[in-house]
Amino acid sequence: MTAPEYIEITRRRMVEDGCEVGWDQVGPVQAMVGYRAKFVPAAMSRTHVVTAVAHFTPSALDVDLYTRDVSTFAKRRSSSLRGMQSGVGAFAVIVADGVTPELVAAATVKPRLEFAVIVQPVLVDLSAREIHTFRGRRFIGAALNGFLRRTLDAQIQAPV
């Protein structure tokens, strides 16, 4: 499967999940961005979900930098007050033609947590047809864990 094919399938999955989808500049790269807001009863708050999907050949540093860029973009995109009644969950998805163990390690770190913002790197390996991301549990933000896990699984799947 090629990167454009994978991104198109992901676009369809995001639309099916209720996202508005378009292309935008996220840091230095063009990314397909999906956005939706939903009230999550377990967290008793409205959650803005931003999924940014970009195809490039990353280094381990690029995974971290792209995750930071997605965080900045998601906070700006949600344009709401974050706190007790509203939060942001974001996925920084990098579609790569092949990955190294260093890239896998960078993508499987515990998601970046800021005030009312959780940003999770996701690495899609087209050659091995695998997804690498953190799958553990978080104590802080625990009320959103299930919702974000289900959202990720609905929008991003391993290439076939």
Side-chain angles (χ1 to χ4, degrees):
M1 172 177 289
T2 66
E5 291 170 334
Y6 180 82
I7 291 172
E8 175 56 26
I9 290 168
T10 301
R11 184 194 65 76
R12 282 188 251 139
R13 296 187 68 78
M14 286 195 287
V15 168
E16 288 170 5
D17 195 42
C19 292
E20 301 168 16
V21 180
W23 288 87
D24 213 323
Q25 192 74 27
V26 178
V29 299
Q30 271 293 109
M32 180 181 66
V33 178
Y35 169 81
R36 76 175 179 143
K38 182 177 181 176
F39 181 77
V40 181
M44 295 298 294
S45 69
R46 182 173 175 87
T47 302
H48 301 268
V49 179
V50 175
T51 305
V53 182
H55 174 242
F56 60 94
T57 304
S59 68
L61 177 61
D62 291 332
V63 173
D64 183 58
L65 292 174
Y66 183 65
T67 302
R68 290 173 192 261
D69 290 338
V70 170
S71 175
T72 301
F73 180 88
K75 287 183 281 190
R76 191 177 69 240
R77 174 64 172 93
S78 65
S79 69
S80 66
L81 297 174
R82 295 179 310 279
M84 294 301 289
Q85 298 299 312
S86 183
V88 176
F91 300 107
V93 182
I94 299 172
V95 179
D97 297 315
V99 302
T100 64
E102 293 81 22
L103 290 174
V104 172
T108 55
V109 298
K110 195 175 272 194
R112 182 179 311 282
L113 179 64
E114 300 172 30
F115 177 69
V117 180
I118 297 173
V119 184
Q120 181 169 341
V122 180
L123 182 62
V124 178
D125 182 354
L126 293 176
S127 64
R129 298 180 178 173
E130 295 176 337
I131 294 177
H132 304 283
T133 191
F134 179 79
R135 291 290 184 175
R137 300 216 180 263
R138 297 177 294 260
F139 177 72
I140 297 176
L144 289 177
N145 282 343
F147 170 72
L148 292 175
R149 193 175 302 116
R150 287 187 301 276
T151 300
L152 177 63
D153 291 343
Q155 295 180 8
I156 307 297
Q157 291 196 345
V160 290

